[in-house]
Amino acid sequence: MAKVGIIMGSESDLPIMQEAIDMLRDFEIETEVDIVSAHRTPEKMMNYGTQAHQRGLKVIIAGAGGAAHLPGMIAALTPLPVIGVPVKSNNSIDGWDSILSILQMPGGVPVATVALNGAKNAGILAAQILGTSNPSVLEKMVQYKEGLKTKVIDSSKKLNP
Ligand code: RP5
């Protein structure tokens, strides 16, 4: 049973969203990936958002660019936590359109918005949410953070032997 649903508005978002998929694979978390467009397949979006928790998903990562309505609309439809990835898409002016569309949600309907094209962090955040109730994922997260630390210390040593 997939734990994290990763959806995006278009196949053109996939090269960015792949970073979330890869990160969750590193944490050995099962994912389910699909294209769900708020504007082009609104009925599919409705079904996805209303049924995600009944299908066993625990967290949803939603990415979109330009007039990026998918993450917010999914958050409106699901009781699950939604992580939004603003994508700098071909129809995006400068990325701010995607960021603000996903970030500026009204009270009551949060979307945890990561940086522009920040799908890697979306994957990590989803793993951290699952880690609060899964000791094995939590331990992998501890190791991951240790790895980050070691990398910086090693780089520092190389510059200052
Ligand atoms: C958004 O429009 C999608 O999420 C994508 O980022 C952008 C462009 O879509 P395509 O025209 O490439 O399909 O809804």
Side-chain angles (χ1 to χ4, degrees), residues 1 9-10 50 52 56 62 70 72 81 84 86 90 100 122 131 142-143 149-150:
M1 179 72 70
S10 167
T50 52
L70 180 66
N90 50 30
L100 297 176
V142 170
Q143 297 305 324
K149 199 191 294 179
T150 306

Side-chain angles (χ1 to χ4, degrees), residues 62-72 82-87 96-106 109-114:
H69 293 121
L70 180 66
V82 176
I83 302 169
V85 182
V87 176
W96 276 111
D97 40 13
S98 322
I99 293 171
L100 297 176
S101 302
I102 297 176
L103 182 69
Q104 290 301 111
M105 289 297 290
V109 192
V111 172
T113 309
V114 295

Side-chain angles (χ1 to χ4, degrees), residues 62-154:
H69 293 121
L70 180 66
M73 284 306 298
I74 288 293
L77 294 163
T78 183
L80 300 175
V82 176
I83 302 169
V85 182
V87 176
K88 190 167 184 314
S89 56
N90 50 30
N91 65 325
S92 178
I93 296 169
D94 56 4
W96 276 111
D97 40 13
S98 322
I99 293 171
L100 297 176
S101 302
I102 297 176
L103 182 69
Q104 290 301 111
M105 289 297 290
V109 192
V111 172
T113 309
V114 295
L116 187 66
N117 290 345
K120 176 178 176 175
N121 272 357
I124 295 169
L125 184 54
Q128 286 175 320
I129 292 169
L130 293 177
T132 60
S133 59
N134 182 323
S136 146
V137 173
L138 187 65
E139 181 49 35
K140 286 193 188 87
M141 190 59 67
V142 170
Q143 297 305 324
Y144 177 75
K145 294 277 183 186
E146 277 302 314
L148 293 180
K149 199 191 294 179
T150 306
K151 215 171 157 193
V152 174
I153 291 169
D154 289 350

Side-chain angles (χ1 to χ4, degrees), residues 45-57:
M45 178 195 66
M46 287 284 290
N47 289 337
Y48 188 96
T50 52
Q51 293 165 14
H53 66 292
Q54 291 156 351
R55 295 192 295 106
L57 293 177

Side-chain angles (χ1 to χ4, degrees), residues 8-13 37 39-40 63-68 87 89-91:
M8 61 209 84
S10 167
E11 199 180 354
S12 64
D13 299 319
S37 169
H39 303 121
R40 294 167 177 154
V87 176
S89 56
N90 50 30
N91 65 325

